[in-house]
Amino acid sequence: MSLNDIMFLVKDMEKVIVGVDIGGTSIKMGLFSMEGTLLEKWNIPTNTEEQGKWILKEIYESIKEHTAGYKLHGIGFGVPAPVKDNVVLNGVNLGWINKNVKEEFLALLKDDSVFIRVSNDANVATAGEFYAGVAKGYQNVIMITLGTGIGGGVMINSHIFDGMNGVAGEIGHIVVDFEHQFQCNCGKKGCLETVASATGIVRLAKYHLEHSKEPSVLRDMHYMSAKKVIDAAKENDFIAVEVMKEVANYLAYLMGVMTNTLNPDIFVIGGGVSNAGDYLIDLIKVSYYDYVRPFIKETNFAIASLGNDAGIYGAFYMVAPR
Amino acid sequence: MSLNDIMFLVKDMEKVIVGVDIGGTSIKMGLFSMEGTLLEKWNIPTNTEEQGKWILKEIYESIKEHTAGYKLHGIGFGVPAPVKDNVVLNGVNLGWINKNVKEEFLALLKDDSVFIRVSNDANVATAGEFYAGVAKGYQNVIMITLGTGIGGGVMINSHIFDGMNGVAGEIGHIVVDFEHQFQCNCGKKGCLETVASATGIVRLAKYHLEHSKEPSVLRDMHYMSAKKVIDAAKENDFIAVEVMKEVANYLAYLMGVMTNTLNPDIFVIGGGVSNAGDYLIDLIKVSYYDYVRPFIKETNFAIASLGNDAGIYGAFYMVAPR
């Protein structure tokens, strides 16, 4: 085969993009066509040994295998840590401190023409919902992920917004509860995470059960979960309803503050707690307008639609041509 | 004179930009060179008769007079109302409802080549501090103006950010006080404006005087003002210090929430209350880090430096070539 033949082959190879969503236990990857069609998705375990020094190498090997026969256009990375200018600042879960993921990955690829973009996982998931999920068509999006912890992502004018220290969207640690003041993992008291995450909902339920004599189906449970509290609330269990009203009020307050600061087009709620669906959104709306009137008459609220795939879609979006 | 001579003259005329800062009682204007040198500044009264229908006409006449002999490149407008895409949405002070300032002014000018940009006055002042004041060199800026009321401006990636309904930066009406719950003009209770504006400081001082038996120089005053409270606090008057600590704590809390949402590079404090200077900033820092740690180690704080000129500088910046 002549050099010309080889050049022709390379030119003709289909270009693809890989979206990488790095989690604490597994790394999810998606292979996309340039137009954004998800061709394949797969996982590898997260190897956190030796300060995560093998993670990028293992991602590289896996991508090489899955993109054989394609021309790689770009790779987007979502990382569970603050990220600024493609540098992971303080990735305690992975052992990555001030790690320049872009540079290190380009060195592995030995190909500077591949577009690399790295951002915080919650921001990347927000971009996913913006690109392919419920926030499609909106320019300014705030996503709140209510899982075991609480994450947040901010998109401004259709771009992921990282902030000065890559900390934009650290909304789980905004203090919203001045009453119970439960201790948070971060060292502070009364953070949103202590009262509106899945664990926060259980904590609040236990608190209400202790401080009330009302009967409740929650009293007889061996193992309490946020899902059980939400299900009981939907069945009008008095205590469970009180808990969910309180949770919704904290969320409404925070969304109100964010609205008066940024006036976003839409709030997207993701994570396990978002399975509460419209029930949760309706409860939030009850108090939200009290916090933002008379300036705001209407804001959009939606439950995230991509689930665990939001990260790979968002990672694709970061490096896709526009 | 031949047509060619005239064309040559027009071509040779110095280009200028006018910054217009519309207030409820007067309109401030600045004539700038293309490089941003302030050549002249002047005021005209705000004519709010007949739903403010004469305001633009009077601005037009005044600009025509002051720009004789120059070629007008652009005009930036700051308006005390929510603004979206150059349309003033709800300008109750001026009588302007859904007024397309850009279109109407271009019709007066009869010259579509003039760049027009209209934004909310607090956002424009923020752009002024960004362009020519203390926020120079920072990309993401939040300005809080503590005057009779409280205004706020947000710049993201060096651009003014208006939000979906032009309401980004309506931070005076974020609820921060769950204790006193003073009634706000907006209809809600506990807004930042009720406890941290100049009137809010006086309100808090009166409240503390009523609910305490401590001696205070504030007790003997016929007329209390925010300035007197601040001056007394600097002299270690017990009640005045308590008031200013409380004011600073509300501001610190709100800045903490904004930091965990947006992680801006710098907070700029303007308005009459900002004459408290570093005394206020130091008090804010005492509680600010309690609300944002452990994620944020350092945020910049500064007192606005342009005073009443911030608006015309920001209005210049909006239409200046970049």
Side-chain angles (χ1 to χ4, degrees):
Chain A
M1 203 152 52
S2 76
L3 186 60
N4 266 349
D5 289 341
I6 293 171
M7 289 306 289
F8 182 78
L9 253 176
V10 170
K11 213 175 130 190
D12 217 41
M13 275 161 77
E14 190 189 340
K15 278 190 184 177
V16 288
I17 285 170
V18 179
V20 180
D21 184 15
I22 304 180
T25 53
S26 80
I27 297 163
K28 185 159 203 166
M29 287 182 259
L31 180 69
F32 291 87
S33 73
M34 292 299 279
E35 293 72 33
T37 305
L38 181 59
L39 306 172
E40 186 195 355
K41 60 180 180 179
W42 70 97
N43 289 277
I44 63 171
T46 308
N47 180 354
T48 52
E49 282 170 31
E50 298 178 72
Q51 279 79 52
K53 70 180 283 195
W54 303 108
I55 293 175
L56 289 184
K57 183 98 167 79
E58 289 172 12
I59 291 171
Y60 165 74
E61 299 291 348
S62 181
I63 288 178
K64 205 169 73 173
E65 193 185 313
H66 285 262
T67 57
Y70 292 108
K71 165 99 181 82
L72 195 57
H73 172 80
I75 310 174
F77 290 88
V79 183
V83 179
K84 182 73 182 173
D85 298 332
N86 303 302
V87 176
V88 175
L89 300 178
N90 190 15
V92 281
N93 297 336
L94 306 174
W96 289 2
I97 311 292
N98 289 323
K99 190 179 183 75
N100 192 326
V101 170
K102 179 176 175 173
E103 264 185 19
E104 291 189 24
F105 211 84
L106 283 175
L108 289 167
L109 287 168
K110 297 183 189 71
D111 179 356
D112 274 358
S113 73
V114 178
F115 288 91
I116 305 271
R117 175 112 203 253
V118 188
S119 195
N120 170 266
D121 57 355
N123 282 338
V124 174
T126 308
E129 292 291 343
F130 163 84
Y131 169 69
V134 286
K136 212 167 173 169
Y138 295 100
Q139 283 200 311
N140 304 302
V141 182
I142 295 182
M143 181 163 162
I144 302 184
T145 306
L146 306 171
T148 313
I150 291 184
V154 179
M155 289 198 80
I156 303 271
N157 294 329
S158 311
H159 291 281
I160 289 177
F161 185 72
D162 289 330
M164 180 172 69
N165 309 110
V167 182
E170 270 303 340
I171 58 186
H173 299 286
I174 291 177
V175 178
V176 294
D177 166 26
F178 296 94
E179 189 192 335
H180 312 300
Q181 290 270 299
F182 297 123
Q183 182 69 47
C184 184
N185 292 331
C186 79
K188 301 201 300 289
K189 285 176 179 176
C191 294
L192 185 68
E193 196 162 291
T194 65
V195 287
S197 62
T199 44
I201 290 173
V202 170
R203 181 182 289 117
L204 268 187
K206 287 180 178 168
Y207 179 90
H208 278 257
L209 288 171
E210 258 175 49
H211 291 80
S212 158
K213 290 195 168 110
E214 287 286 332
S216 168
V217 297
L218 301 175
R219 292 198 188 276
D220 310 323
M221 286 177 181
H222 288 294
Y223 170 75
M224 204 188 310
S225 68
K227 185 180 183 309
K228 287 181 185 170
V229 177
I230 292 163
D231 289 345
K234 286 181 177 173
E235 298 291 325
N236 281 317
D237 180 272
F238 181 81
I239 298 266
V241 169
E242 288 297 299
V243 169
M244 290 312 294
K245 274 187 185 167
E246 192 175 339
V247 168
N249 183 52
Y250 292 127
L251 290 169
Y253 170 67
L254 186 62
M255 289 170 171
V257 173
M258 289 172 166
T259 299
N260 281 4
T261 307
L262 277 179
N263 187 200
D265 305 346
I266 185 170
F267 284 104
V268 177
I269 303 173
V273 175
S274 74
N275 290 328
D278 286 343
Y279 176 78
L280 180 62
I281 287 184
D282 290 343
L283 274 185
I284 289 171
K285 282 181 176 173
V286 170
S287 18
Y288 170 78
Y289 288 102
D290 289 343
Y291 293 120
V292 299
R293 272 193 191 119
F295 305 98
I296 306 279
K297 290 186 187 72
E298 212 168 311
T299 302
N300 300 293
F301 293 87
I303 297 293
S305 64
L306 298 178
N308 291 330
D309 285 351
I312 54 173
Y313 275 99
F316 160 82
Y317 174 75
M318 288 199 294
V319 293
R322 263 162 257 176
Chain B
M1 202 153 54
S2 75
L3 185 61
N4 265 350
D5 288 339
I6 294 171
M7 289 306 288
F8 182 78
L9 252 177
V10 171
K11 213 175 132 191
D12 217 41
M13 276 161 76
E14 192 189 340
K15 279 192 188 173
V16 287
I17 285 171
V18 179
V20 181
D21 184 15
I22 304 180
T25 54
S26 80
I27 297 163
K28 185 159 205 165
M29 287 181 259
L31 179 69
F32 291 88
S33 74
M34 293 298 280
E35 294 73 34
T37 305
L38 181 59
L39 306 171
E40 185 195 354
K41 60 180 178 180
W42 71 98
N43 289 278
I44 63 171
T46 308
N47 180 354
T48 52
E49 281 169 33
E50 298 178 71
Q51 279 77 53
K53 70 180 286 195
W54 303 108
I55 294 175
L56 289 184
K57 183 97 166 81
E58 289 172 11
I59 292 172
Y60 166 74
E61 298 292 348
S62 181
I63 288 177
K64 205 169 72 171
E65 191 185 315
H66 285 262
T67 57
Y70 292 109
K71 165 100 183 81
L72 195 56
H73 171 81
I75 310 175
F77 290 87
V79 182
V83 179
K84 181 72 181 176
D85 298 331
N86 302 303
V87 177
V88 174
L89 300 180
N90 190 16
V92 282
N93 297 336
L94 306 175
W96 290 1
I97 311 291
N98 290 323
K99 191 180 182 74
N100 192 325
V101 171
K102 179 176 174 173
E103 263 183 20
E104 291 188 24
F105 211 84
L106 283 175
L108 289 167
L109 286 168
K110 297 184 188 69
D111 179 357
D112 274 359
S113 74
V114 178
F115 288 93
I116 305 272
R117 175 111 202 254
V118 188
S119 195
N120 169 266
D121 57 354
N123 282 338
V124 174
T126 309
E129 291 290 344
F130 163 84
Y131 170 69
V134 285
K136 212 168 173 168
Y138 296 100
Q139 283 200 310
N140 304 303
V141 182
I142 295 183
M143 180 163 163
I144 302 183
T145 307
L146 306 172
T148 313
I150 291 184
V154 178
M155 289 198 79
I156 303 271
N157 295 329
S158 311
H159 291 281
I160 288 177
F161 185 72
D162 289 330
M164 179 172 68
N165 309 109
V167 183
E170 269 305 338
I171 58 186
H173 299 286
I174 291 176
V175 178
V176 295
D177 166 25
F178 296 94
E179 189 192 337
H180 312 299
Q181 290 270 297
F182 297 122
Q183 182 69 47
C184 185
N185 292 330
C186 79
K188 301 203 301 289
K189 286 178 178 176
C191 293
L192 185 68
E193 197 162 289
T194 65
V195 287
S197 62
T199 42
I201 290 173
V202 170
R203 182 183 287 116
L204 268 187
K206 286 181 178 168
Y207 179 90
H208 278 258
L209 287 171
E210 257 175 50
H211 292 78
S212 159
K213 290 195 168 112
E214 288 285 333
S216 167
V217 296
L218 301 176
R219 291 197 189 278
D220 311 323
M221 287 177 181
H222 288 292
Y223 172 76
M224 203 186 312
S225 68
K227 186 180 182 309
K228 288 181 184 170
V229 177
I230 292 164
D231 289 345
K234 286 181 177 173
E235 298 291 326
N236 281 316
D237 180 89
F238 180 81
I239 298 265
V241 168
E242 288 298 299
V243 169
M244 290 312 294
K245 274 188 184 167
E246 193 175 338
V247 168
N249 183 52
Y250 292 128
L251 290 169
Y253 170 67
L254 186 63
M255 290 170 169
V257 173
M258 290 173 165
T259 299
N260 281 6
T261 306
L262 278 180
N263 188 200
D265 305 347
I266 185 169
F267 284 104
V268 177
I269 303 173
V273 174
S274 74
N275 291 327
D278 287 343
Y279 175 78
L280 180 61
I281 288 184
D282 291 345
L283 273 185
I284 288 172
K285 283 182 176 172
V286 169
S287 16
Y288 171 79
Y289 288 102
D290 290 343
Y291 294 119
V292 298
R293 275 193 189 117
F295 304 98
I296 306 280
K297 290 184 187 72
E298 212 168 312
T299 302
N300 300 293
F301 293 86
I303 297 293
S305 63
L306 298 179
N308 291 330
D309 286 351
I312 53 173
Y313 275 99
F316 160 83
Y317 174 74
M318 288 199 294
V319 292
R322 261 161 258 178

